[in-house]
Amino acid sequence: MVLENPGTAVRLGPSLKKRAQNFYYPILLLDSIQDCCQQAVARKAADSPHNPNQTPEGDFHTFVNKLAHICDSRPRGDTITALAVLQDESTGGKVLYVFVSNSRKRQNLLKTKDDLTAVLNILKANLEAKEKEPDDVLFKRLLRMVLRLNTVRVQTYLAALAKDLAACTKACNADPSPENQTASKALNDLLQLIPKTTADSGQTSDSFISSVISCIQTVQRYRQTPSLQNFIKRHAAKEDKMRKNVKSCPWSNLHHIGGRLLSYQYDVETLISAHHMWEDSDLFRDFEVNFLDSSTNSMSGSLNFPKLTPESIIDAIPANTCTTREKKTLIQCVNELRPFGLDESLEMQWKRRHDPIVHAEMMLHDWLSRTPGGVRNERFFGGWQYIGVSKPLCRLCRYYFNIIPTPVQFRDSHPNTYPNWRLPDIRPRSTSAKDTQEANEEWLEIMDQMKARVYLDLRRVLVEKTTDRKMNDSNTYTDKLSLAGLFMNLELE
């Protein structure tokens, strides 16, 4: 039976919908300004080796994030998944893996439930077998399975990787130096390994999966070759300094996409390590998997925004957040950005379809908060109050969880802002007028606090004319959980 949020969600009437619309104006302007500002995002290591001093709780966080990542099978955000692991009286003593995705239909959620159950059952069968499979055999079997479940996303990575490899190889060939020619050969060798597929075909053949594994193995080997790794990083740093076109950075993209492909290898390493670490618990022995339906639009249709100028949006900033003198300075900053396409970028916002959804991690936290046991530590496996997510939290989700009182922990956030974001539904404790009024006021108070933080971001970005927005909302680097020496000499094929 599908899990449901208790109570009836309030459909937003004209007054609340108007307040909601006004909430989005500074977000839309901030998003447009970020399109115009040049940026240089500090790079992080491509992957983070397991910290042997990490606590068991930290290991568990990594494990839950990896499960969520396996469920996030398609690009562009619809399948971003949040997942929690529960175990208390309400679950009958069993471990309950509960997940929710940003925007999935019920049929797809049921398939994801079956897929995740199948992955966990492989680990369960191994623990219960009289003779356990060697880790390398188990690893290869699970890796092939995880890649099959994620073929659509993997194909997107491979297509991007092929394009960037071709551009980087061409750049190397323009310079006859030995260093460039060595790099050109290495990059071209990887390019030749990429399987030829049609867009969004979702191929799952053995030969396709084997080719993907060969690519992952080659990326891993290149990551362990200091000269080549430093060569790529050096060229990526040059792209950052040029800042001419953030959407055409093949060296930076090459670095990032390689990390995303490696993440599937690290997913599987983490699962196998976790099933050793918690082999005496119910985590892989006595469990169920269930889900919540994805968010729906609570605003009686798409939001339609009357066109506003940047000046009028700035003029609406409350006086306690921005003085009249400061507003004049911000409007001057707006005028300085106009030659870089600010008005055109904002015009595109009015043309877009806006159907805000509740992000998966907020949906799951809201369900936990409203069901028996709430977010108390006794409800979570090991007492670890944690919701894992397949990608870092966005800026607005981070603001939300900083505003509401919650002991639940989440992974780190990225600084990107998405206009198609909304607060969880208003769900009064009862149908009484008093409870409904209190729920409405609480919802509006959270919205106002978030709006104040967005205004501060808007002011900072306008004055500095730089933004910390990332080109990708996923990490180039990837955490992993590995028992010491477990995967040191592993051959993927």
Short mmCIF file of all heavy atoms in Angstrom, two decimals, residues 115-152:
data_model
loop_
_atom_site.label_atom_id
_atom_site.label_comp_id
_atom_site.label_asym_id
_atom_site.label_seq_id
_atom_site.Cartn_x
_atom_site.Cartn_y
_atom_site.Cartn_z
N ASP A 115 12.75 -2.13 -8.34
CA ASP A 115 14.19 -2.10 -8.68
C ASP A 115 15.04 -2.01 -7.42
O ASP A 115 16.05 -2.73 -7.27
CB ASP A 115 14.49 -0.93 -9.61
CG ASP A 115 13.89 -1.10 -10.99
OD1 ASP A 115 13.56 -2.25 -11.36
OD2 ASP A 115 13.73 -0.08 -11.69
N LEU A 116 14.67 -1.11 -6.51
CA LEU A 116 15.44 -0.95 -5.28
C LEU A 116 15.36 -2.21 -4.43
O LEU A 116 16.35 -2.64 -3.83
CB LEU A 116 14.94 0.26 -4.50
CG LEU A 116 15.66 0.58 -3.19
CD1 LEU A 116 17.15 0.77 -3.42
CD2 LEU A 116 15.05 1.82 -2.52
N THR A 117 14.16 -2.81 -4.38
CA THR A 117 14.01 -4.06 -3.63
C THR A 117 14.90 -5.15 -4.20
O THR A 117 15.52 -5.92 -3.45
CB THR A 117 12.53 -4.52 -3.67
OG1 THR A 117 11.70 -3.50 -3.11
CG2 THR A 117 12.34 -5.80 -2.88
N ALA A 118 15.00 -5.21 -5.53
CA ALA A 118 15.83 -6.23 -6.17
C ALA A 118 17.31 -6.04 -5.82
O ALA A 118 18.03 -7.01 -5.57
CB ALA A 118 15.64 -6.18 -7.69
N VAL A 119 17.77 -4.78 -5.78
CA VAL A 119 19.16 -4.50 -5.40
C VAL A 119 19.42 -4.96 -3.97
O VAL A 119 20.41 -5.64 -3.68
CB VAL A 119 19.47 -2.99 -5.56
CG1 VAL A 119 20.81 -2.66 -4.92
CG2 VAL A 119 19.48 -2.60 -7.03
N LEU A 120 18.52 -4.60 -3.06
CA LEU A 120 18.69 -4.98 -1.66
C LEU A 120 18.59 -6.49 -1.46
O LEU A 120 19.27 -7.07 -0.60
CB LEU A 120 17.65 -4.26 -0.80
CG LEU A 120 17.81 -2.73 -0.72
CD1 LEU A 120 16.57 -2.10 -0.08
CD2 LEU A 120 19.05 -2.36 0.07
N ASN A 121 17.74 -7.14 -2.27
CA ASN A 121 17.59 -8.60 -2.14
C ASN A 121 18.86 -9.35 -2.54
O ASN A 121 19.14 -10.43 -2.03
CB ASN A 121 16.41 -9.08 -2.98
CG ASN A 121 15.08 -8.94 -2.26
OD1 ASN A 121 15.04 -8.93 -1.03
ND2 ASN A 121 14.00 -8.85 -3.02
N ILE A 122 19.62 -8.80 -3.48
CA ILE A 122 20.90 -9.42 -3.85
C ILE A 122 21.83 -9.44 -2.64
O ILE A 122 22.50 -10.44 -2.35
CB ILE A 122 21.54 -8.68 -5.04
CG1 ILE A 122 20.76 -8.96 -6.32
CG2 ILE A 122 23.01 -9.08 -5.21
CD1 ILE A 122 21.26 -8.21 -7.53
N LEU A 123 21.87 -8.32 -1.92
CA LEU A 123 22.72 -8.24 -0.72
C LEU A 123 22.18 -9.14 0.39
O LEU A 123 22.94 -9.79 1.11
CB LEU A 123 22.81 -6.79 -0.25
CG LEU A 123 23.47 -5.83 -1.25
CD1 LEU A 123 23.22 -4.39 -0.86
CD2 LEU A 123 24.96 -6.11 -1.36
N LYS A 124 20.86 -9.21 0.51
CA LYS A 124 20.24 -10.09 1.51
C LYS A 124 20.58 -11.54 1.22
O LYS A 124 20.98 -12.30 2.12
CB LYS A 124 18.73 -9.90 1.49
CG LYS A 124 17.98 -10.86 2.40
CD LYS A 124 16.47 -10.65 2.32
CE LYS A 124 15.73 -11.63 3.23
NZ LYS A 124 14.27 -11.41 3.21
N ALA A 125 20.44 -11.95 -0.03
CA ALA A 125 20.72 -13.34 -0.40
C ALA A 125 22.18 -13.70 -0.13
O ALA A 125 22.49 -14.82 0.29
CB ALA A 125 20.38 -13.55 -1.88
N ASN A 126 23.06 -12.74 -0.37
CA ASN A 126 24.47 -13.01 -0.13
C ASN A 126 24.76 -13.22 1.35
O ASN A 126 25.54 -14.11 1.73
CB ASN A 126 25.33 -11.87 -0.67
CG ASN A 126 26.80 -12.21 -0.72
OD1 ASN A 126 27.20 -13.21 -1.32
ND2 ASN A 126 27.62 -11.40 -0.06
N LEU A 127 24.12 -12.42 2.20
CA LEU A 127 24.33 -12.56 3.65
C LEU A 127 23.76 -13.87 4.18
O LEU A 127 24.30 -14.45 5.13
CB LEU A 127 23.69 -11.38 4.40
CG LEU A 127 24.39 -10.02 4.27
CD1 LEU A 127 23.59 -8.95 4.99
CD2 LEU A 127 25.81 -10.07 4.82
N GLU A 128 22.67 -14.33 3.59
CA GLU A 128 22.01 -15.52 4.08
C GLU A 128 22.51 -16.81 3.44
O GLU A 128 22.12 -17.91 3.86
CB GLU A 128 20.50 -15.38 3.87
CG GLU A 128 19.88 -14.25 4.70
CD GLU A 128 18.39 -14.10 4.47
OE1 GLU A 128 17.88 -14.70 3.50
OE2 GLU A 128 17.74 -13.39 5.27
N ALA A 129 23.36 -16.69 2.41
CA ALA A 129 23.87 -17.88 1.72
C ALA A 129 24.87 -18.63 2.60
O ALA A 129 25.58 -18.03 3.42
CB ALA A 129 24.54 -17.47 0.41
N LYS A 130 24.90 -19.95 2.44
CA LYS A 130 25.88 -20.75 3.19
C LYS A 130 27.29 -20.38 2.77
O LYS A 130 28.21 -20.34 3.59
CB LYS A 130 25.62 -22.23 2.94
CG LYS A 130 24.33 -22.74 3.57
CD LYS A 130 24.16 -24.23 3.34
CE LYS A 130 22.88 -24.74 4.01
NZ LYS A 130 22.67 -26.20 3.78
N GLU A 131 27.47 -20.14 1.48
CA GLU A 131 28.78 -19.70 0.96
C GLU A 131 28.57 -18.36 0.27
O GLU A 131 27.94 -18.29 -0.78
CB GLU A 131 29.35 -20.73 -0.01
CG GLU A 131 29.75 -22.04 0.64
CD GLU A 131 30.48 -22.96 -0.32
OE1 GLU A 131 30.90 -22.46 -1.40
OE2 GLU A 131 30.63 -24.14 -0.01
N LYS A 132 29.10 -17.32 0.85
CA LYS A 132 28.93 -15.98 0.29
C LYS A 132 29.74 -15.80 -0.98
O LYS A 132 30.83 -16.35 -1.13
CB LYS A 132 29.34 -14.92 1.33
CG LYS A 132 28.45 -14.88 2.56
CD LYS A 132 28.91 -13.77 3.50
CE LYS A 132 27.98 -13.63 4.69
NZ LYS A 132 27.94 -14.84 5.52
N GLU A 133 29.21 -15.00 -1.89
CA GLU A 133 29.95 -14.66 -3.10
C GLU A 133 31.16 -13.81 -2.75
O GLU A 133 31.08 -12.95 -1.86
CB GLU A 133 29.07 -13.87 -4.07
CG GLU A 133 28.10 -14.68 -4.89
CD GLU A 133 27.42 -13.84 -5.95
OE1 GLU A 133 26.96 -12.73 -5.62
OE2 GLU A 133 27.34 -14.29 -7.10
N PRO A 134 32.27 -14.00 -3.43
CA PRO A 134 33.40 -13.07 -3.24
C PRO A 134 32.97 -11.65 -3.60
O PRO A 134 32.10 -11.45 -4.46
CB PRO A 134 34.45 -13.60 -4.23
CG PRO A 134 34.08 -15.02 -4.48
CD PRO A 134 32.59 -15.08 -4.38
N ASP A 135 33.55 -10.68 -2.93
CA ASP A 135 33.14 -9.29 -3.16
C ASP A 135 33.30 -8.86 -4.61
O ASP A 135 32.49 -8.07 -5.12
CB ASP A 135 33.92 -8.36 -2.24
CG ASP A 135 33.44 -8.43 -0.80
OD1 ASP A 135 32.23 -8.64 -0.59
OD2 ASP A 135 34.28 -8.31 0.12
N ASP A 136 34.35 -9.33 -5.28
CA ASP A 136 34.54 -8.89 -6.66
C ASP A 136 33.44 -9.43 -7.58
O ASP A 136 32.98 -8.75 -8.49
CB ASP A 136 35.92 -9.30 -7.17
CG ASP A 136 36.16 -10.80 -7.15
OD1 ASP A 136 35.50 -11.49 -6.34
OD2 ASP A 136 37.00 -11.29 -7.93
N VAL A 137 32.97 -10.65 -7.32
CA VAL A 137 31.88 -11.23 -8.11
C VAL A 137 30.58 -10.47 -7.83
O VAL A 137 29.83 -10.12 -8.75
CB VAL A 137 31.71 -12.73 -7.80
CG1 VAL A 137 30.50 -13.30 -8.53
CG2 VAL A 137 32.97 -13.49 -8.18
N LEU A 138 30.32 -10.21 -6.56
CA LEU A 138 29.13 -9.46 -6.17
C LEU A 138 29.16 -8.05 -6.75
O LEU A 138 28.14 -7.53 -7.23
CB LEU A 138 29.05 -9.42 -4.65
CG LEU A 138 27.82 -8.75 -4.02
CD1 LEU A 138 26.56 -9.50 -4.40
CD2 LEU A 138 27.97 -8.70 -2.50
N PHE A 139 30.33 -7.45 -6.74
CA PHE A 139 30.49 -6.10 -7.26
C PHE A 139 30.12 -6.04 -8.74
O PHE A 139 29.36 -5.17 -9.18
CB PHE A 139 31.93 -5.63 -7.06
CG PHE A 139 32.21 -4.27 -7.63
CD1 PHE A 139 32.02 -3.13 -6.86
CD2 PHE A 139 32.66 -4.12 -8.93
CE1 PHE A 139 32.27 -1.87 -7.39
CE2 PHE A 139 32.90 -2.87 -9.47
CZ PHE A 139 32.71 -1.74 -8.69
N LYS A 140 30.65 -6.96 -9.53
CA LYS A 140 30.39 -6.94 -10.98
C LYS A 140 28.91 -7.15 -11.27
O LYS A 140 28.34 -6.49 -12.16
CB LYS A 140 31.23 -8.00 -11.67
CG LYS A 140 32.73 -7.71 -11.63
CD LYS A 140 33.54 -8.87 -12.16
CE LYS A 140 35.04 -8.61 -12.01
NZ LYS A 140 35.86 -9.76 -12.45
N ARG A 141 28.27 -8.02 -10.52
CA ARG A 141 26.85 -8.29 -10.73
C ARG A 141 26.01 -7.06 -10.38
O ARG A 141 25.11 -6.68 -11.14
CB ARG A 141 26.43 -9.50 -9.88
CG ARG A 141 25.00 -9.96 -10.13
CD ARG A 141 24.87 -11.44 -9.89
NE ARG A 141 25.02 -11.80 -8.50
CZ ARG A 141 23.99 -12.05 -7.68
NH1 ARG A 141 22.76 -11.97 -8.14
NH2 ARG A 141 24.19 -12.41 -6.43
N LEU A 142 26.32 -6.44 -9.26
CA LEU A 142 25.55 -5.26 -8.85
C LEU A 142 25.80 -4.06 -9.76
O LEU A 142 24.88 -3.29 -10.06
CB LEU A 142 25.90 -4.89 -7.41
CG LEU A 142 25.13 -5.63 -6.32
CD1 LEU A 142 25.69 -5.28 -4.95
CD2 LEU A 142 23.65 -5.30 -6.37
N LEU A 143 27.04 -3.89 -10.20
CA LEU A 143 27.35 -2.76 -11.07
C LEU A 143 26.57 -2.86 -12.38
O LEU A 143 26.00 -1.87 -12.86
CB LEU A 143 28.85 -2.69 -11.35
CG LEU A 143 29.30 -1.53 -12.26
CD1 LEU A 143 28.92 -0.18 -11.64
CD2 LEU A 143 30.80 -1.58 -12.51
N ARG A 144 26.51 -4.04 -12.96
CA ARG A 144 25.76 -4.22 -14.20
C ARG A 144 24.28 -3.92 -13.97
O ARG A 144 23.61 -3.29 -14.80
CB ARG A 144 25.96 -5.63 -14.75
CG ARG A 144 27.40 -5.98 -15.10
CD ARG A 144 27.50 -7.33 -15.79
NE ARG A 144 27.13 -7.22 -17.20
CZ ARG A 144 27.97 -6.92 -18.18
NH1 ARG A 144 29.26 -6.70 -17.92
NH2 ARG A 144 27.54 -6.83 -19.42
N MET A 145 23.78 -4.35 -12.83
CA MET A 145 22.37 -4.11 -12.52
C MET A 145 22.08 -2.62 -12.34
O MET A 145 21.11 -2.09 -12.89
CB MET A 145 21.99 -4.88 -11.25
CG MET A 145 20.53 -4.77 -10.89
SD MET A 145 20.15 -5.76 -9.43
CE MET A 145 18.36 -5.62 -9.41
N VAL A 146 22.93 -1.94 -11.58
CA VAL A 146 22.73 -0.51 -11.34
C VAL A 146 22.83 0.28 -12.65
O VAL A 146 22.04 1.20 -12.89
CB VAL A 146 23.76 0.00 -10.30
CG1 VAL A 146 23.80 1.52 -10.27
CG2 VAL A 146 23.42 -0.56 -8.92
N LEU A 147 23.76 -0.08 -13.52
CA LEU A 147 23.88 0.61 -14.80
C LEU A 147 22.66 0.37 -15.68
O LEU A 147 22.20 1.28 -16.38
CB LEU A 147 25.16 0.17 -15.52
CG LEU A 147 26.47 0.66 -14.89
CD1 LEU A 147 27.66 0.02 -15.58
CD2 LEU A 147 26.57 2.19 -14.97
N ARG A 148 22.11 -0.84 -15.65
CA ARG A 148 20.89 -1.10 -16.42
C ARG A 148 19.72 -0.24 -15.93
O ARG A 148 18.92 0.24 -16.73
CB ARG A 148 20.51 -2.58 -16.32
CG ARG A 148 21.31 -3.49 -17.24
CD ARG A 148 20.68 -4.86 -17.36
NE ARG A 148 21.42 -5.66 -18.33
CZ ARG A 148 22.43 -6.47 -18.01
NH1 ARG A 148 22.80 -6.56 -16.73
NH2 ARG A 148 23.06 -7.15 -18.93
N LEU A 149 19.63 -0.09 -14.62
CA LEU A 149 18.54 0.71 -14.07
C LEU A 149 18.68 2.19 -14.42
O LEU A 149 17.70 2.94 -14.37
CB LEU A 149 18.50 0.56 -12.54
CG LEU A 149 18.23 -0.84 -12.00
CD1 LEU A 149 18.23 -0.83 -10.48
CD2 LEU A 149 16.92 -1.40 -12.53
N ASN A 150 19.89 2.60 -14.78
CA ASN A 150 20.17 4.03 -15.02
C ASN A 150 20.64 4.29 -16.45
O ASN A 150 21.33 5.29 -16.69
CB ASN A 150 21.22 4.52 -14.02
CG ASN A 150 20.69 4.67 -12.62
OD1 ASN A 150 20.15 5.71 -12.25
ND2 ASN A 150 20.81 3.61 -11.82
N THR A 151 20.23 3.46 -17.39
CA THR A 151 20.77 3.60 -18.74
C THR A 151 20.41 4.93 -19.41
O THR A 151 21.21 5.47 -20.18
CB THR A 151 20.30 2.45 -19.65
OG1 THR A 151 18.89 2.27 -19.49
CG2 THR A 151 21.01 1.16 -19.31
N VAL A 152 19.23 5.45 -19.13
CA VAL A 152 18.85 6.71 -19.77
C VAL A 152 19.79 7.83 -19.32
O VAL A 152 20.31 8.60 -20.13
CB VAL A 152 17.38 7.06 -19.46
CG1 VAL A 152 17.04 8.45 -19.99
CG2 VAL A 152 16.45 6.02 -20.09
#
